[in-house]
Amino acid sequence: MRTQQIPPDVVIVEDPREVARTLAESFCVAANNAITARGRFNLALAGGATPKATYSLLAEPPYRSLIAWGSVRFFFGDERCVPPDHPDSNYRTARETLFAPLEIADAKIFRMHGEEDPATAAAAYAQTLTRELGALPVLDLTLLGIGADGHTASLFPGTPPEDGSQTLVRATVAPENLPTRNRLTLTPYAINAARKIIIVAEGAAKAGVIAEVWNGAYDPTKYPVQSIRPVHGRITWLLDQAAAATLRPT
Ligand code: 6PG
């Protein structure tokens, strides 16, 4: 089994409300560290439902006044191949919960163009990342969720998430039970370059897959989230007690 380069930190909190508060606080720490060190904070937002409460919290007092939002640039870890105003759009979720309440300028938001041909949009987003962040784009923070099947971002079971290339963005196809089949996603190569990765999960429905991912064999084709191992940065798993229920101490 491939060992974790840096043992991931696990933070277990009581419930979803505490997940949102803890993630908002971690977001503020990462943002202010990056802005102090480099003058700006470049992050990739996670899609799905779990982070929505955190995004809303960040747009309210006290958090909204704790960050120089003009120094923050928003990227995305993945996107559904739908227009930006579609209910399934991760951009739409972020706009409604974060960008609009904080009046984030469009110039600070780098969305994946889900409305375009997936392969074209993936290549275009890779160019956006290298133009804005350099040949190996290093995000200060990448937020991720995990699906009950072990997917993360839009890296789904059945396809090896890593292909040994330096591809940054890929078009993928989600299982039928998930919203919007055609997807765009950062690759593990892009994700693992981040200075900080936070994987967030809550609820009993995630307990089984988290136990498998942590205590089972290393098989990233079966559990793509296992391919998330920062090369130089740090990773934190933020779980509520329900999602961490079946973890055994390592
Ligand atoms: C997406 C996400 C996806 C999500 C997980 C968990 O676009 O759907 O990137 O990876 O994080 O499916 O989703 P929930 O937070 O809704 O359980």
Side-chain angles (χ1 to χ4, degrees), residues 102-225:
L102 289 170
E103 298 179 3
I104 303 293
D106 287 344
K108 303 288 187 180
I109 302 166
F110 301 87
R111 69 177 184 88
M112 295 178 170
H113 288 191
E115 69 276 21
E116 293 172 2
D117 164 70
T120 304
Y125 203 71
Q127 288 181 346
T128 296
L129 290 171
T130 54
R131 182 188 71 236
E132 297 298 331
L133 300 173
L136 172 57
V138 176
L139 288 156
D140 294 305
L141 174 64
T142 296
L143 299 180
L144 296 170
I146 177 174
D149 62 357
H151 79 258
T152 191
S154 282
L155 300 164
F156 297 106
T159 304
E162 298 177 288
D163 61 5
S165 77
Q166 296 184 344
T167 302
L168 295 170
V169 187
R170 186 182 304 145
T172 61
V173 179
E176 291 181 357
N177 64 310
L178 292 177
T180 309
R181 304 280 318 273
N182 288 322
R183 301 286 190 93
L184 300 169
T185 187
L186 296 187
T187 62
Y189 178 75
I191 294 168
N192 289 333
R195 291 188 173 89
K196 172 83 174 169
I197 298 170
I198 299 177
I199 300 177
V200 61
E202 61 193 38
K206 305 291 176 73
V209 69
I210 285 170
E212 280 293 306
V213 163
W214 270 67
N215 299 328
Y218 178 72
D219 183 355
T221 300
K222 185 176 181 183
Y223 299 115
V225 74

Side-chain angles (χ1 to χ4, degrees), residues 27 29 41 67-68 80 93 100 130 141-142 153 174 184 208 211 235 240 250:
F27 185 106
V29 168
F41 177 47
I67 297 174
R80 291 78 179 276
T93 297
T130 54
L141 174 64
T142 296
L184 300 169
I235 186 167
D240 70 354
T250 50

